[in-house]
Amino acid sequence: MLVRSGFALPVRTTRASDWEDMLREHFVALSVSDIEDGPRFTGAVRSSELAHLKVSTVQSTEQRIARSGSLARADRADYLQIGRIRRGRAVVTQDDRECVLDHDDFVLYDTTRPFEWRFDGHPDDGSWVLEVFTWPRGSLSFTEAEIHDLTAITFDGRAGASGLLGRFLHDIVTSRIASDAGAGNAIVDEVGDLVGAVLRAVGRPLGAPRSSTYRAAMAMIDESLGDPSLSPSVIASALGISTRHLHRVFAEQDTTVSRVIRVRRLEQCRRDMALSTTTDRSLGQISRRWGFADPSLFSRTFKSEYGMSPRQYRATAAAT
């Protein structure tokens, strides 16, 4: 059964000593500081899941929440998260950048690296409210360089394309979405595509420019994923450059050609496996469609990327 956004009941505490553990249970390993324990303290988290997207609402009082490098290395949780402030004010730090979030603003952050949130409560009662959207890293098709460029940047949640995305995300929190497993996965994939498109478009002026060679190579990769012969040498030849130069272009984006091909193929396979309309297709047919000639290689790489075998993922997607 699909757990539906808006149906979960919040978990509450009035003890600051329990708050850190509660946050870890719902998110990742975090440390809490600069918090006042006493009659004024309250903390609540409500989380629910729509396919592989976890949607949470967090409410508490003024404090600092951080994920250190040692915590990130210890639990190795591999997520991309968007935090959208609904009440109060927050300052977010990651990747040597700092941004300020006011009402409805949102930010992208990465759980594999240190980050920090500093919350200021609303003047009326000292409380803040945050909406958090958590995706497994592989389900959003950002490169490592794009993630570095887009973290700790304020996205305006009230105007323009980012405002449209912010309102859409808020609707996921407040709406009671009920659907079958295939439709739920399709909805979440569409949300992920929208997040990628808006963050790239709005955040691009603040990030590093992409070279024309990189853009051309990425376009060729996306158009040719089903071709099992797709390789760095094939791409370089088609673009009229040396393979060495192509590798250097992708190294500038903190990734490799082969990894981009593999991750994009795996993501297309994952999407196909989650659709109720593809239940008549075998895993072998799906993997071959997206360029995996060797079923055992597909199984190993899928498990390495998503933490479960293709068969396990398909069964889980059908049951959620």
Side-chain angles (χ1 to χ4, degrees):
M1 178 180 177
L2 183 67
V3 179
R4 291 162 290 182
S5 180
F7 275 56
L9 295 174
V11 180
R12 300 181 183 276
T13 182
T14 56
R15 298 174 58 184
S17 57
D18 296 334
W19 181 231
E20 188 171 287
D21 290 337
M22 185 183 296
L23 290 175
R24 290 185 181 215
E25 289 175 8
H26 283 262
F27 302 107
V28 295
L30 299 164
S31 62
V32 180
S33 60
D34 298 347
I35 189 169
E36 181 181 343
D37 195 359
R40 182 171 172 268
F41 175 78
T42 183
V45 182
R46 182 182 66 193
S47 293
S48 57
E49 294 179 0
L50 178 60
H52 53 276
L53 171 62
K54 185 173 185 178
V55 181
S56 307
T57 303
V58 190
Q59 181 176 359
S60 191
T61 54
E62 294 182 1
Q63 61 196 260
R64 184 184 302 240
I65 298 174
R67 182 162 170 83
S68 65
S70 59
L71 288 177
R73 289 189 295 272
D75 72 0
R76 303 182 65 83
D78 199 358
Y79 301 117
L80 291 175
Q81 296 182 303
I82 284 179
R84 182 171 185 261
I85 196 78
R86 289 289 296 162
R87 183 177 177 82
R89 186 172 181 269
V91 178
V92 181
T93 304
Q94 188 168 49
D95 295 327
D96 298 321
R97 282 190 299 272
E98 182 176 276
C99 68
V100 177
L101 304 182
D102 288 310
H103 185 65
D104 288 342
D105 292 338
F106 60 92
V107 65
L108 177 74
Y109 55 106
D110 179 0
T111 67
T112 66
R113 299 192 305 282
F115 63 79
E116 181 181 86
W117 285 78
R118 299 194 302 277
F119 291 99
D120 292 325
H122 192 275
D124 288 348
D125 59 6
S127 70
W128 52 265
V129 178
L130 181 73
E131 296 170 348
V132 182
F133 306 84
T134 303
W135 286 267
R137 192 186 191 85
S139 65
L140 295 180
S141 59
F142 291 117
T143 66
E144 291 302 309
E146 285 175 327
I147 295 170
H148 277 272
D149 287 349
L150 294 171
T151 54
I153 291 174
T154 301
F155 290 92
D156 187 342
R158 297 168 299 281
S162 59
L164 177 65
L165 175 59
R167 292 189 293 274
F168 184 67
L169 291 173
H170 179 64
D171 284 346
I172 295 176
V173 176
T174 57
S175 300
R176 296 188 170 189
I177 301 173
S179 61
D180 62 35
N185 280 282
I187 290 169
V188 172
D189 286 337
E190 291 295 333
V191 173
D193 289 343
L194 180 62
V195 167
V198 171
L199 265 59
R200 287 186 181 97
V202 178
R204 175 59 53 233
L206 300 174
R210 302 282 180 261
S211 72
S212 58
T213 300
Y214 177 80
R215 293 195 300 271
M218 290 298 295
M220 183 176 176
I221 289 171
D222 287 337
E223 292 168 1
S224 309
L225 286 176
D227 182 356
S229 68
L230 184 66
S231 67
S233 60
V234 168
I235 296 169
S237 177
L239 297 180
I241 60 176
S242 69
T243 304
R244 181 178 180 182
H245 178 63
L246 180 67
H247 284 309
R248 186 164 58 248
V249 167
F250 274 71
E252 291 171 355
Q253 308 304 322
D254 294 331
T255 190
T256 67
V257 184
S258 297
R259 170 157 178 77
V260 169
I261 294 172
R262 182 172 68 253
V263 168
R264 273 167 152 67
R265 280 176 170 164
L266 288 172
E267 179 58 13
Q268 292 300 329
C269 290
R270 184 198 65 76
R271 292 188 177 208
D272 274 7
M273 286 188 289
L275 292 175
S276 57
T277 55
T278 63
T279 54
D280 59 334
R281 297 182 197 168
S282 69
L283 293 175
Q285 288 174 314
I286 291 174
S287 63
R288 284 193 297 273
R289 178 192 178 193
W290 295 109
F292 286 100
D294 183 348
S296 60
L297 175 63
F298 164 64
S299 183
R300 290 196 304 272
T301 54
F302 188 94
K303 185 172 184 179
S304 175
E305 188 72 22
Y306 295 104
M308 63 179 73
S309 70
R311 192 175 304 277
Q312 289 172 320
Y313 177 81
R314 196 174 209 182
T316 301
T320 56

